[in-house]
mmCIF file of all heavy atoms in Angstrom:
data_model
loop_
_atom_site.group_PDB
_atom_site.id
_atom_site.type_symbol
_atom_site.label_atom_id
_atom_site.label_comp_id
_atom_site.label_asym_id
_atom_site.label_seq_id
_atom_site.Cartn_x
_atom_site.Cartn_y
_atom_site.Cartn_z
ATOM 1 N N ARG L 43 -15.026 44.654 44.930
ATOM 2 C CA ARG L 43 -15.640 44.683 43.655
ATOM 3 C C ARG L 43 -15.160 43.544 42.738
ATOM 4 O O ARG L 43 -15.869 42.801 42.097
ATOM 5 C CB ARG L 43 -15.572 45.938 42.956
ATOM 6 C CG ARG L 43 -16.168 46.040 41.537
ATOM 7 C CD ARG L 43 -17.644 45.724 41.639
ATOM 8 N NE ARG L 43 -18.221 45.705 40.303
ATOM 9 C CZ ARG L 43 -19.300 44.941 39.960
ATOM 10 N NH1 ARG L 43 -19.862 44.150 40.892
ATOM 11 N NH2 ARG L 43 -19.746 45.019 38.716
ATOM 12 N N LEU L 44 -13.792 43.379 42.768
ATOM 13 C CA LEU L 44 -13.196 42.306 41.921
ATOM 14 C C LEU L 44 -13.594 40.968 42.422
ATOM 15 O O LEU L 44 -13.816 39.981 41.581
ATOM 16 C CB LEU L 44 -11.705 42.409 41.883
ATOM 17 C CG LEU L 44 -11.212 43.582 40.986
ATOM 18 C CD1 LEU L 44 -9.774 43.983 41.269
ATOM 19 C CD2 LEU L 44 -11.345 43.134 39.539
ATOM 20 N N ARG L 45 -13.722 40.750 43.694
ATOM 21 C CA ARG L 45 -14.256 39.502 44.236
ATOM 22 C C ARG L 45 -15.576 39.175 43.734
ATOM 23 O O ARG L 45 -15.960 38.051 43.355
ATOM 24 C CB ARG L 45 -14.173 39.469 45.775
ATOM 25 C CG ARG L 45 -14.481 38.111 46.371
ATOM 26 C CD ARG L 45 -14.157 38.132 47.919
ATOM 27 N NE ARG L 45 -14.890 39.249 48.490
ATOM 28 C CZ ARG L 45 -14.281 40.111 49.304
ATOM 29 N NH1 ARG L 45 -12.995 40.152 49.448
ATOM 30 N NH2 ARG L 45 -15.024 41.151 49.870
ATOM 31 N N ASP L 46 -16.501 40.183 43.727
ATOM 32 C CA ASP L 46 -17.846 40.046 43.281
ATOM 33 C C ASP L 46 -17.834 39.658 41.736
ATOM 34 O O ASP L 46 -18.607 38.818 41.300
ATOM 35 C CB ASP L 46 -18.716 41.341 43.452
ATOM 36 C CG ASP L 46 -18.997 41.572 44.876
ATOM 37 O OD1 ASP L 46 -18.943 40.635 45.688
ATOM 38 O OD2 ASP L 46 -19.382 42.707 45.191
ATOM 39 N N LEU L 47 -16.971 40.298 40.938
ATOM 40 C CA LEU L 47 -16.861 40.115 39.557
ATOM 41 C C LEU L 47 -16.384 38.638 39.261
ATOM 42 O O LEU L 47 -16.867 38.015 38.361
ATOM 43 C CB LEU L 47 -15.997 41.138 38.835
ATOM 44 C CG LEU L 47 -16.533 42.499 38.776
ATOM 45 C CD1 LEU L 47 -15.436 43.501 38.321
ATOM 46 C CD2 LEU L 47 -17.640 42.601 37.802
ATOM 47 N N GLU L 48 -15.436 38.158 40.126
ATOM 48 C CA GLU L 48 -14.942 36.854 39.987
ATOM 49 C C GLU L 48 -16.026 35.797 40.231
ATOM 50 O O GLU L 48 -16.142 34.806 39.515
ATOM 51 C CB GLU L 48 -13.756 36.652 40.970
ATOM 52 C CG GLU L 48 -12.956 35.413 40.704
ATOM 53 C CD GLU L 48 -13.428 34.269 41.580
ATOM 54 O OE1 GLU L 48 -14.035 34.495 42.631
ATOM 55 O OE2 GLU L 48 -13.186 33.059 41.197
ATOM 56 N N HIS L 49 -16.907 36.052 41.214
ATOM 57 C CA HIS L 49 -18.027 35.181 41.436
ATOM 58 C C HIS L 49 -19.050 35.162 40.325
ATOM 59 O O HIS L 49 -19.564 34.118 39.977
ATOM 60 C CB HIS L 49 -18.638 35.531 42.769
ATOM 61 C CG HIS L 49 -17.827 35.267 43.973
ATOM 62 N ND1 HIS L 49 -18.028 35.885 45.231
ATOM 63 C CD2 HIS L 49 -16.790 34.493 44.193
ATOM 64 C CE1 HIS L 49 -17.180 35.494 46.037
ATOM 65 N NE2 HIS L 49 -16.362 34.646 45.486
ATOM 66 N N GLU L 50 -19.295 36.355 39.778
ATOM 67 C CA GLU L 50 -20.206 36.483 38.693
ATOM 68 C C GLU L 50 -19.731 35.723 37.463
ATOM 69 O O GLU L 50 -20.400 34.973 36.705
ATOM 70 C CB GLU L 50 -20.388 37.929 38.266
ATOM 71 C CG GLU L 50 -21.286 38.711 39.272
ATOM 72 C CD GLU L 50 -21.423 40.107 38.834
ATOM 73 O OE1 GLU L 50 -21.663 40.413 37.599
ATOM 74 O OE2 GLU L 50 -21.291 41.100 39.623
ATOM 75 N N CYS L 51 -18.391 35.831 37.172
ATOM 76 C CA CYS L 51 -17.766 35.143 36.061
ATOM 77 C C CYS L 51 -17.797 33.607 36.225
ATOM 78 O O CYS L 51 -18.027 32.856 35.219
ATOM 79 C CB CYS L 51 -16.388 35.671 35.821
ATOM 80 S SG CYS L 51 -15.650 35.253 34.167
ATOM 81 N N ASP L 52 -17.544 33.198 37.458
ATOM 82 C CA ASP L 52 -17.665 31.741 37.748
ATOM 83 C C ASP L 52 -19.063 31.194 37.449
ATOM 84 O O ASP L 52 -19.227 30.117 36.864
ATOM 85 C CB ASP L 52 -17.411 31.450 39.241
ATOM 86 C CG ASP L 52 -15.944 31.507 39.584
ATOM 87 O OD1 ASP L 52 -15.053 31.494 38.631
ATOM 88 O OD2 ASP L 52 -15.631 31.561 40.784
ATOM 89 N N ASP L 53 -20.166 32.077 37.789
ATOM 90 C CA ASP L 53 -21.502 31.634 37.477
ATOM 91 C C ASP L 53 -21.726 31.557 35.987
ATOM 92 O O ASP L 53 -22.450 30.586 35.534
ATOM 93 C CB ASP L 53 -22.486 32.604 38.068
ATOM 94 C CG ASP L 53 -22.479 32.613 39.615
ATOM 95 O OD1 ASP L 53 -22.089 31.548 40.162
ATOM 96 O OD2 ASP L 53 -22.974 33.551 40.197
ATOM 97 N N VAL L 54 -21.178 32.469 35.202
ATOM 98 C CA VAL L 54 -21.380 32.493 33.767
ATOM 99 C C VAL L 54 -20.666 31.253 33.188
ATOM 100 O O VAL L 54 -21.193 30.555 32.276
ATOM 101 C CB VAL L 54 -20.855 33.727 33.120
ATOM 102 C CG1 VAL L 54 -20.990 33.639 31.558
ATOM 103 C CG2 VAL L 54 -21.739 34.949 33.597
ATOM 104 N N ALA L 55 -19.425 31.058 33.599
ATOM 105 C CA ALA L 55 -18.756 29.878 33.118
ATOM 106 C C ALA L 55 -19.343 28.552 33.451
ATOM 107 O O ALA L 55 -19.485 27.673 32.591
ATOM 108 C CB ALA L 55 -17.251 29.893 33.728
ATOM 109 N N ARG L 56 -19.963 28.494 34.640
ATOM 110 C CA ARG L 56 -20.673 27.230 35.026
ATOM 111 C C ARG L 56 -21.888 27.129 34.096
ATOM 112 O O ARG L 56 -22.243 26.051 33.719
ATOM 113 C CB ARG L 56 -21.140 27.380 36.485
ATOM 114 C CG ARG L 56 -21.629 26.110 37.041
ATOM 115 C CD ARG L 56 -21.876 26.230 38.557
ATOM 116 N NE ARG L 56 -20.718 26.706 39.218
ATOM 117 C CZ ARG L 56 -20.545 27.858 39.875
ATOM 118 N NH1 ARG L 56 -21.554 28.771 39.771
ATOM 119 N NH2 ARG L 56 -19.521 28.209 40.546
ATOM 120 N N GLU L 57 -22.597 28.185 33.745
ATOM 121 C CA GLU L 57 -23.761 28.139 32.863
ATOM 122 C C GLU L 57 -23.333 27.593 31.471
ATOM 123 O O GLU L 57 -23.963 26.796 30.868
ATOM 124 C CB GLU L 57 -24.430 29.394 32.700
ATOM 125 C CG GLU L 57 -25.692 29.328 31.866
ATOM 126 C CD GLU L 57 -26.618 30.610 31.890
ATOM 127 O OE1 GLU L 57 -26.319 31.504 32.648
ATOM 128 O OE2 GLU L 57 -27.557 30.660 31.075
ATOM 129 N N ILE L 58 -22.158 28.031 30.987
ATOM 130 C CA ILE L 58 -21.593 27.603 29.768
ATOM 131 C C ILE L 58 -21.338 26.129 29.790
ATOM 132 O O ILE L 58 -21.681 25.307 28.863
ATOM 133 C CB ILE L 58 -20.404 28.378 29.295
ATOM 134 C CG1 ILE L 58 -20.728 29.840 29.001
ATOM 135 C CG2 ILE L 58 -19.702 27.755 28.088
ATOM 136 C CD1 ILE L 58 -19.540 30.748 28.798
ATOM 137 N N TYR L 59 -20.681 25.643 30.894
ATOM 138 C CA TYR L 59 -20.361 24.188 30.968
ATOM 139 C C TYR L 59 -21.653 23.400 30.965
ATOM 140 O O TYR L 59 -21.799 22.364 30.263
ATOM 141 C CB TYR L 59 -19.616 23.936 32.278
ATOM 142 C CG TYR L 59 -18.389 24.641 32.454
ATOM 143 C CD1 TYR L 59 -17.825 24.954 33.779
ATOM 144 C CD2 TYR L 59 -17.556 25.047 31.382
ATOM 145 C CE1 TYR L 59 -16.610 25.575 33.884
ATOM 146 C CE2 TYR L 59 -16.376 25.766 31.500
ATOM 147 C CZ TYR L 59 -15.892 25.967 32.817
ATOM 148 O OH TYR L 59 -14.677 26.729 32.983
ATOM 149 N N ASN L 60 -22.648 23.853 31.777
ATOM 150 C CA ASN L 60 -23.909 23.096 31.763
ATOM 151 C C ASN L 60 -24.707 23.117 30.422
ATOM 152 O O ASN L 60 -25.118 22.018 30.051
ATOM 153 C CB ASN L 60 -24.871 23.691 32.866
ATOM 154 C CG ASN L 60 -24.364 23.448 34.276
ATOM 155 O OD1 ASN L 60 -23.582 22.597 34.534
ATOM 156 N ND2 ASN L 60 -24.760 24.307 35.175
ATOM 157 N N LEU L 61 -24.640 24.251 29.814
ATOM 158 C CA LEU L 61 -25.312 24.350 28.475
ATOM 159 C C LEU L 61 -24.596 23.432 27.442
ATOM 160 O O LEU L 61 -25.289 22.780 26.630
ATOM 161 C CB LEU L 61 -25.258 25.773 27.983
ATOM 162 C CG LEU L 61 -26.077 26.163 26.736
ATOM 163 C CD1 LEU L 61 -27.570 25.835 26.877
ATOM 164 C CD2 LEU L 61 -25.793 27.619 26.359
ATOM 165 N N THR L 62 -23.336 23.391 27.541
ATOM 166 C CA THR L 62 -22.592 22.461 26.606
ATOM 167 C C THR L 62 -23.060 20.994 26.803
ATOM 168 O O THR L 62 -23.286 20.276 25.852
ATOM 169 C CB THR L 62 -21.045 22.574 26.892
ATOM 170 O OG1 THR L 62 -20.667 23.906 26.771
ATOM 171 C CG2 THR L 62 -20.257 21.694 25.872
ATOM 172 N N ASN L 63 -23.183 20.599 28.036
ATOM 173 C CA ASN L 63 -23.599 19.210 28.373
ATOM 174 C C ASN L 63 -25.039 18.939 27.927
ATOM 175 O O ASN L 63 -25.386 17.814 27.606
ATOM 176 C CB ASN L 63 -23.477 18.909 29.833
ATOM 177 C CG ASN L 63 -21.976 18.796 30.202
ATOM 178 O OD1 ASN L 63 -21.201 18.347 29.506
ATOM 179 N ND2 ASN L 63 -21.694 19.165 31.486
ATOM 180 N N LEU L 64 -25.894 19.983 27.850
ATOM 181 C CA LEU L 64 -27.259 19.849 27.484
ATOM 182 C C LEU L 64 -27.624 20.097 26.026
ATOM 183 O O LEU L 64 -28.708 19.832 25.637
ATOM 184 C CB LEU L 64 -28.134 20.740 28.361
ATOM 185 C CG LEU L 64 -28.132 20.515 29.849
ATOM 186 C CD1 LEU L 64 -28.825 21.600 30.584
ATOM 187 C CD2 LEU L 64 -28.861 19.130 30.170
ATOM 188 N N THR L 65 -26.652 20.399 25.283
ATOM 189 C CA THR L 65 -26.877 20.807 23.924
ATOM 190 C C THR L 65 -26.334 19.760 22.921
ATOM 191 O O THR L 65 -25.169 19.409 23.025
ATOM 192 C CB THR L 65 -26.257 22.225 23.534
ATOM 193 O OG1 THR L 65 -26.762 23.158 24.482
ATOM 194 C CG2 THR L 65 -26.593 22.609 22.130
ATOM 195 N N PHE L 66 -27.169 19.235 22.060
ATOM 196 C CA PHE L 66 -26.818 18.172 21.155
ATOM 197 C C PHE L 66 -25.880 18.704 20.109
ATOM 198 O O PHE L 66 -24.896 18.144 19.662
ATOM 199 C CB PHE L 66 -28.049 17.487 20.524
ATOM 200 C CG PHE L 66 -27.718 16.482 19.564
ATOM 201 C CD1 PHE L 66 -27.360 15.210 20.013
ATOM 202 C CD2 PHE L 66 -27.861 16.607 18.175
ATOM 203 C CE1 PHE L 66 -26.961 14.180 19.091
ATOM 204 C CE2 PHE L 66 -27.505 15.661 17.279
ATOM 205 C CZ PHE L 66 -27.087 14.430 17.692
ATOM 206 N N SER L 67 -26.249 19.868 19.478
ATOM 207 C CA SER L 67 -25.487 20.421 18.387
ATOM 208 C C SER L 67 -25.059 21.810 18.820
ATOM 209 O O SER L 67 -25.766 22.816 18.761
ATOM 210 C CB SER L 67 -26.404 20.591 17.127
ATOM 211 O OG SER L 67 -25.618 21.132 16.092
ATOM 212 N N THR L 68 -23.779 21.851 19.215
ATOM 213 C CA THR L 68 -23.182 23.183 19.635
ATOM 214 C C THR L 68 -22.629 23.957 18.472
ATOM 215 O O THR L 68 -22.281 23.375 17.458
ATOM 216 C CB THR L 68 -22.070 22.928 20.727
ATOM 217 O OG1 THR L 68 -21.096 21.962 20.155
ATOM 218 C CG2 THR L 68 -22.627 22.250 21.973
ATOM 219 N N PRO L 69 -22.473 25.225 18.614
ATOM 220 C CA PRO L 69 -22.007 26.086 17.453
ATOM 221 C C PRO L 69 -20.528 25.890 17.114
ATOM 222 O O PRO L 69 -20.083 26.399 16.130
ATOM 223 C CB PRO L 69 -22.326 27.545 17.925
ATOM 224 C CG PRO L 69 -22.296 27.435 19.374
ATOM 225 C CD PRO L 69 -22.860 26.098 19.751
#
Side-chain angles (χ1 to χ4, degrees):
R43 178 57 182 152
L44 281 163
R45 187 172 53 235
D46 289 345
L47 290 169
E48 191 266 335
H49 291 158
E50 288 180 43
C51 197
D52 283 346
D53 290 342
V54 176
R56 193 175 302 112
E57 185 173 350
I58 292 172
Y59 301 154
N60 291 338
L61 188 62
T62 303
N63 288 329
L64 293 170
T65 303
F66 179 75
S67 178
T68 54

